[in-house]
Amino acid sequence: MADSSQNTTGLFAFLLIFTLTLVGTVSMQKMAVQGAINAVFPNYEIYADVLPGVEWIIMGRDLAPKDEFNTQRDQLNEIFYKLRGGEYDRDATVNMLRGKKALREFTQNNERTLYFINPYLAIFPLHVFLAGLIAFLVSMYLPAGSNVAWVRNKLMRDYDRVGSLLEKQFDAHGVDFRQMFDLSRYKREQLLRFTTLPQVVVTEVEDYISLRDYIEGKSRNFLVPVLFYFRYRISASYGNLIQGLVSGGAAILIFVIGLRGLKLIPPEEPSLILMALSIEFILLIVLMVTFAGSAQEERLDRVVKELEAEQRDAIKQQTDTIHEVLGRTSGGGGDGLSVADSLSEYEEQRLLDEVLSLMIKEAERKRGA
């Protein structure tokens, strides 16, 4: 019950951090977008308080000569005045549509670009992603054992799980796992090379010891817990789900682009397209980080490949032994009976070796359990 209570408290704290961050980023979106437009697209200017709803107007700057500048500015101010005052029509919707039409005609006549952007639709996925990322990092770097450190406590459970599995595997192969902590990386690799452990454990041991040093304060590399969590939790448990979400985001993007191709979405109202692009961008970033933090191959695949290599070596040794026996018996002038006896002895020895190997594996399994 205590663990369940701590997990609920940690999840509540995570959601609280997420909500507060989301509200903060949304409240600052106007200032952020204005700064981004001024820095990246200086040829555009934004009008955020003209349309009666939440839409913004992004328009190309007035680059007309000085004698035409004041005339065009007066025309634009007149359109804005009618939009704010509702002088086109009593119906607010009709008023806004007529105002947008007047703005389109104005920009076409003056060769200026015009966009109507709904920020709560276009960039809201980016707000959600940023809030989730900040909440994840805050929860990751809170002190371990705290009830509010939801992600950090999950990391510690994976840390204990990986350490327990490694210790059992080392004991089954007759290697002291604790001595790895006192050796340098080079000496660890040299020691593991001459054991019966699969080479896949080298990376796992290094990841485990790196996180252990970070927890004990011997390392200040803040990327270690994030990489460990993505490699042994996110990638292992949710890799296929993330790839499926990326495919779903691509499907949404294709559908929205199709609507744009059918001209159901006007070119000057790209909010829906920007939303689809934001979703696909976020999912691709998550997929990139997942792949970058994951192992080169799945653990089971690598173990199978190593076992296949060992099996090929064993078959080669058996084949060489058979050829050696056949060559020795035929060269010694023996008859077919001696060859058959030799093969029978070899087959009997092989069966005894297999039985002994199975007995050893069963004993190791019982020790590990």
Side-chain angles (χ1 to χ4, degrees):
M1 291 295 293
D3 291 341
S4 177
S5 176
Q6 290 179 356
N7 189 56
T8 303
T9 304
L11 179 59
F12 177 78
F14 178 88
L15 293 177
L16 180 62
I17 297 171
F18 172 82
T19 304
L20 293 177
T21 307
L22 181 62
V23 173
T25 57
V26 171
S27 64
M28 295 188 298
Q29 68 179 356
K30 178 181 175 181
M31 180 178 62
V33 172
Q34 285 180 332
I37 289 178
N38 293 332
V40 183
F41 306 104
N43 196 38
Y44 289 86
E45 52 187 345
I46 182 173
Y47 303 93
D49 302 317
V50 175
L51 294 174
V54 297
E55 283 187 298
W56 295 347
I57 299 173
I58 298 179
M59 188 181 302
R61 290 189 181 277
D62 190 355
L63 303 178
K66 186 176 181 180
D67 55 346
E68 300 179 9
F69 177 82
N70 292 331
T71 302
Q72 294 185 13
R73 180 62 62 179
D74 292 340
Q75 293 176 355
L76 185 60
N77 288 335
E78 182 179 359
I79 297 174
F80 286 170
Y81 174 77
K82 291 181 178 180
L83 269 171
R84 294 190 183 100
E87 296 185 11
Y88 286 105
D89 195 277
R90 292 182 180 180
D91 191 323
T93 302
V94 175
N95 176 70
M96 184 177 64
L97 293 176
R98 288 182 176 178
K100 286 184 176 182
K101 180 181 178 182
L103 282 173
R104 291 190 187 97
E105 294 174 352
F106 171 79
T107 54
Q108 290 174 0
N109 293 334
N110 296 281
E111 297 182 350
R112 296 170 65 178
T113 308
L114 174 68
Y115 296 105
F116 300 104
I117 302 295
N118 184 340
Y120 294 99
L121 181 64
I123 59 177
F124 188 74
L126 295 177
H127 289 302
V128 174
F129 173 69
L130 183 60
L133 179 62
I134 292 175
F136 172 82
L137 293 177
V138 171
S139 185
M140 170 67 75
Y141 293 108
L142 287 174
S146 173
N147 291 342
V148 297
W150 185 55
V151 178
R152 182 62 177 265
N153 292 334
K154 286 181 173 292
L155 172 69
M156 296 306 299
R157 284 197 293 270
D158 287 320
Y159 169 75
D160 294 336
R161 176 181 60 84
V162 173
S164 177
L165 292 175
L166 286 174
E167 189 167 4
K168 289 180 180 179
Q169 192 169 12
F170 272 64
D171 290 341
H173 289 263
V175 183
D176 184 9
F177 179 61
R178 295 297 169 181
Q179 69 174 328
M180 299 290 109
F181 302 151
D182 301 325
L183 301 176
S184 64
R185 180 169 184 171
Y186 176 76
K187 290 183 178 180
R188 282 196 297 268
E189 292 179 354
Q190 291 295 320
L191 176 63
L192 293 174
R193 185 179 301 174
F194 296 102
T195 64
T196 56
L197 287 163
Q199 286 298 111
V200 65
V201 302
V202 175
T203 302
E204 294 179 354
V205 169
E206 293 302 327
D207 291 339
Y208 181 83
I209 293 178
S210 296
L211 183 59
R212 180 176 180 271
D213 292 341
Y214 177 84
I215 293 173
E216 295 179 352
K218 300 178 182 178
S219 172
R220 297 184 180 274
N221 187 355
F222 65 93
L223 293 177
V224 168
V226 177
L227 293 176
F228 187 94
Y229 191 75
F230 265 87
R231 177 169 292 177
Y232 295 98
R233 169 55 62 182
I234 302 296
S235 178
S237 301
Y238 306 108
N240 292 335
L241 176 61
I242 293 174
Q243 293 186 45
L245 291 176
V246 171
S247 301
I252 294 174
L253 180 60
I254 291 172
F255 177 75
V256 173
I257 295 298
L259 294 179
R260 172 66 185 90
L262 295 174
K263 300 189 183 302
L264 296 177
I265 300 177
E268 61 272 2
E269 297 186 13
S271 298
L272 195 60
I273 297 175
L274 290 175
M275 183 196 69
L277 288 172
S278 300
I279 293 175
E280 184 64 13
F281 171 76
I282 292 169
L283 293 175
L284 287 174
I285 289 294
V286 174
L287 182 64
M288 179 194 71
V289 175
T290 302
F291 280 167
S294 63
Q296 293 296 324
E297 295 179 273
E298 293 295 333
R299 175 183 174 129
L300 182 59
D301 293 340
R302 288 184 287 172
V303 171
V304 168
K305 288 181 180 179
E306 292 178 6
L307 291 176
E308 288 178 350
E310 294 177 0
Q311 187 66 20
R312 285 195 296 269
D313 292 340
I315 293 174
K316 184 177 182 299
Q317 293 177 1
Q318 292 176 3
T319 304
D320 293 340
T321 304
I322 292 174
H323 290 165
E324 181 181 352
V325 172
L326 291 175
R328 184 170 62 249
T329 54
S330 61
D335 54 10
L337 183 60
S338 61
V339 175
D341 292 340
S342 299
L343 290 176
S344 176
E345 293 174 359
Y346 171 79
E347 187 66 20
E348 182 179 0
Q349 183 63 36
R350 186 182 67 83
L351 291 174
L352 289 174
D353 292 340
E354 289 182 357
V355 172
L356 181 61
S357 177
L358 290 174
M359 293 174 64
I360 294 174
K361 289 181 179 179
E362 181 66 17
E364 291 178 348
R365 187 184 66 79
K366 290 181 179 180
R367 287 179 60 188

